[in-house]
Amino acid sequence: MIAFHPNLFVRVEELTGPRAPQPSPLQSGFSPDRLYRVLGVYNASESSDAFFILPNDRDEMWFICQRHLRFGALVETSAHHLPYLHAQASD
């Protein structure tokens, strides 16, 4: 495990193309209109990628490559999902 902030939320900005990491989050129950609480981070020794453990919209647990993710917010809440307001991102 890698240390991370307990109130960290990320948003999905899925990479596409032949070299995009799998799984594809937007095809696995995630939405670009939500923020997801980071439950854990794992870095396999044979890879330079880190995998974030996130609950999707169906409350399934997924390991998603950091290349599909962007910082969302630091929020003290018990929620696992938050709405992502695009207007806030451009401020």
Side-chain angles (χ1 to χ4, degrees), residues 31-66:
S31 167
D33 298 324
R34 297 185 90 172
L35 299 179
Y36 297 92
R37 178 185 294 279
V38 175
L39 301 177
V41 182
Y42 176 75
N43 180 263
S45 61
E46 67 275 358
S47 168
S48 62
D49 289 331
F51 291 86
F52 284 58
I53 305 168
L54 309 174
N56 68 6
D57 296 334
R58 300 181 295 242
D59 291 327
E60 300 167 334
M61 302 292 287
W62 283 82
F63 283 73
I64 303 297
C65 180
Q66 94 278 351

